[in-house]
Amino acid sequence: MKKNSLKRAFTAVAATALALTASSVSAFAALENNGMEYNLNPKDGSASELKPTLEVTKVVGKASELAGKNVTVEFKVSGVDGKYATTGYHIYWDDRLAVVPAKTGAYAKKGDALADVDATKAENNGPNGVFVACSSSADYGYDGVMWTVELTVPADAKAGDVFPIDVCYYIDNESGTGDLFTQNKPNTDTAKLMQAYFFTQGINNQASDPYLVKAGATFAEGYIALEEEEETTTTTTTTTTTTTTTTSATTTTTSATTTTSNTTTTTSATTTTSASTTSGTGTSSSTTAQTTTTKKDSGSGSKTTDSPKTGVTGVGVAVAGLAVAVGTAFALKKKED
């Protein structure tokens, strides 16, 4: 009885693989979203006590480290240790990646999480896809690596390249046969909710990952990414030295100032004559007497003669000489007294 039940379960998941393979062998020019909407009841697995989540390898490295190299991609389940028996889902990878088959020719190898299940199957699906399945007479599936796929990064891969890896759900609407993630007793509410959670939230949960956003593949779960080249900024500092030479010219200006005085003298028709001689050792000076005659005004007062205008040549000098002579005469007279 258990053997027949196991055979029916495995046949169901295998049929899903064959249906999808027939429709997609030549469909890939680049990685596309091959997943379908999970439409079984219940559609929402949020209330499930068991929350199986599949983690797919994300590798980020330099082009010099990864280009032309093989990378082992793991498909690791968690949250359902010893709680599942029958599974089947589809895996796809960017068609620029080459797959390294196992000795059997299969693209995928089972991992330790499936060590105790009764049967496993890896069926190649075109050049860049594989359908993986397992079935067991009891819930012998564990947390851990369910499957691995070895992929080769192209030798000409360059910095900034991203190679997405996708896990998806598929159902054949005509036969009603679809992918599974359930228990040995698949018709219980616990088993149905667990399966709904796996295909709606346990996968397709990397929509905000920056590498998948960049690659336009937010439907995917994992990737191999080559780091962007770091921009090198070179700053050149140029120092300019400016030499300023200041030449100072000193100009000496000699100013000659001529002072002209207008002197007004009022006298009463008096004639004054002074002469003096000052003797000194080795030095002699003489003062020539100057005579100034003032006529008395016939009017009611005295009329004062105007001093010569300074604009007449020689007159200003004569007035200045007169002042010096008078000053000298009084000085000599006082000394004699």
Side-chain angles (χ1 to χ4, degrees):
M1 182 69 178
K2 288 183 179 180
K3 185 175 181 180
N4 290 336
S5 177
L6 176 61
K7 184 176 180 180
R8 285 196 300 272
F10 207 81
T11 300
V13 294
T16 302
L18 291 174
L20 182 56
T21 300
S23 64
S24 61
V25 170
S26 61
F28 299 100
L31 183 62
E32 299 176 355
N33 185 3
N34 294 282
M36 300 180 67
E37 182 181 359
Y38 185 78
N39 57 3
L40 302 180
N41 289 319
K43 296 180 181 180
D44 185 2
S46 299
S48 178
E49 296 179 2
L50 301 173
K51 301 184 185 305
T53 301
L54 194 68
E55 179 184 351
V56 182
T57 296
K58 297 177 180 178
V59 175
V60 180
K62 297 180 180 179
S64 58
E65 300 169 343
L66 295 177
K69 302 296 194 310
N70 293 344
V71 176
T72 299
V73 179
E74 297 180 341
F75 300 83
K76 184 186 297 184
V77 71
S78 61
V80 285
D81 192 49
K83 301 295 183 180
Y84 65 95
T86 304
T87 67
Y89 50 83
H90 289 77
I91 298 172
Y92 296 96
W93 50 88
D94 192 295
D95 67 349
R96 293 172 294 174
L97 299 170
V99 63
V100 181
K103 291 181 179 180
T104 61
Y107 290 167
K109 300 177 184 179
K110 75 174 183 178
D112 292 342
L114 304 180
D116 291 342
V117 299
D118 296 323
T120 59
K121 182 178 183 66
E123 186 168 331
N124 299 345
N125 185 14
N128 65 324
V130 62
F131 170 77
V132 292
C134 74
S135 186
S136 184
S137 58
D139 296 331
Y140 292 149
Y142 306 130
D143 284 352
V145 178
M146 296 180 70
W147 298 95
T148 62
V149 176
E150 190 171 2
L151 301 172
T152 304
V153 180
D156 61 352
K158 60 185 182 303
D161 284 346
V162 180
F163 305 93
I165 302 163
D166 184 32
V167 175
C168 64
Y169 169 80
Y170 179 82
I171 186 171
D172 180 8
N173 291 320
E174 291 184 3
S175 65
T177 303
D179 289 350
L180 302 169
F181 198 103
T182 190
Q183 296 182 318
N184 181 46
K185 296 179 180 180
N187 294 322
T188 66
D189 289 343
T190 299
K192 290 179 180 179
L193 283 170
M194 181 181 72
Q195 178 170 288
Y197 184 91
F198 179 80
F199 286 115
T200 60
Q201 299 179 56
I203 61 174
N204 300 326
N205 54 9
Q206 302 294 315
S208 61
D209 186 284
Y211 287 100
L212 293 176
V213 170
K214 177 182 177 181
T218 54
F219 55 83
E221 284 71 37
Y223 48 79
I224 301 171
L226 278 59
E227 294 177 345
E228 293 277 5
E229 293 181 352
E230 294 183 1
E231 294 184 2
T232 302
T233 303
T234 302
T235 303
T236 303
T237 303
T238 302
T239 302
T240 302
T241 302
T242 303
T243 302
T244 303
T245 302
T246 303
T247 302
S248 299
T250 303
T251 303
T252 302
T253 303
T254 302
S255 301
T257 303
T258 301
T259 303
T260 302
S261 300
N262 293 326
T263 304
T264 302
T265 306
T266 302
T267 61
S268 299
T270 304
T271 301
T272 304
T273 302
S274 63
S276 63
T277 302
T278 303
S279 299
T281 306
T283 304
S284 63
S285 61
S286 61
T287 301
T288 304
Q290 300 290 334
T291 302
T292 301
T293 303
T294 303
K295 292 182 179 180
K296 186 175 181 179
D297 189 2
S298 58
S300 59
S302 298
K303 184 178 180 180
T304 304
T305 58
D306 295 332
S307 299
K309 295 182 179 180
T310 56
V312 181
T313 304
V315 175
V317 176
V319 173
L322 176 61
V324 172
V326 172
T328 302
F330 277 104
L332 290 175
K333 188 175 187 300
K334 186 177 181 180
K335 185 176 181 180
E336 291 174 356
D337 294 340

